[in-house]
Amino acid sequence: VREVLNRENGILVPFFDVDGLAGRVIDALAHRSRYSKIRKAARQTILDRYDFAQTCLPALVNFIQGETRSPSIYRPALKSVATVAS
């Protein structure tokens, strides 16, 4: 999901590349220290953009109430909610 992941906070492989995905998982499990920076960045991305109480719930409430002007911090979560809702 390119809207969430980038080279700093995750590893992208082509969707149907089962062997590539398996290889990345095996490598990440075999060499945990090599991926510590990515793990930390991934966790921070989720906390910053998708925290339920601070970001997703307020964005969902705004969406349900039909508010069109939401603070920019809510926009990534609001976009995700709107995609799921449609």
Side-chain angles (χ1 to χ4, degrees):
V1 180
R2 294 180 191 273
E3 293 82 14
V4 177
L5 297 178
N6 56 51
R7 292 177 184 213
E8 295 175 13
N9 69 357
I11 301 165
L12 294 171
V13 295
F15 188 77
F16 292 106
D17 186 359
V18 176
D19 292 333
L21 177 60
R24 290 299 207 156
V25 169
I26 290 168
D27 191 54
L29 292 172
H31 306 286
R32 291 182 55 86
S33 62
R34 189 183 299 169
Y35 294 90
S36 65
K37 186 176 178 181
I38 289 175
R39 281 196 314 273
K40 288 177 186 175
R43 181 171 176 8
Q44 194 61 52
T45 297
I46 297 305
L47 291 173
D48 291 346
R49 296 174 62 186
Y50 300 98
D51 176 76
F52 181 75
Q54 298 298 317
T55 305
C56 292
L57 183 59
L60 181 58
V61 169
N62 285 344
F63 177 73
I64 291 169
Q65 292 176 341
E67 294 189 21
T68 57
R69 295 181 315 148
S70 60
S72 61
I73 191 170
Y74 297 154
R75 288 193 185 117
L78 183 58
K79 182 178 178 185
S80 299
V81 169
T83 302
V84 171
S86 57

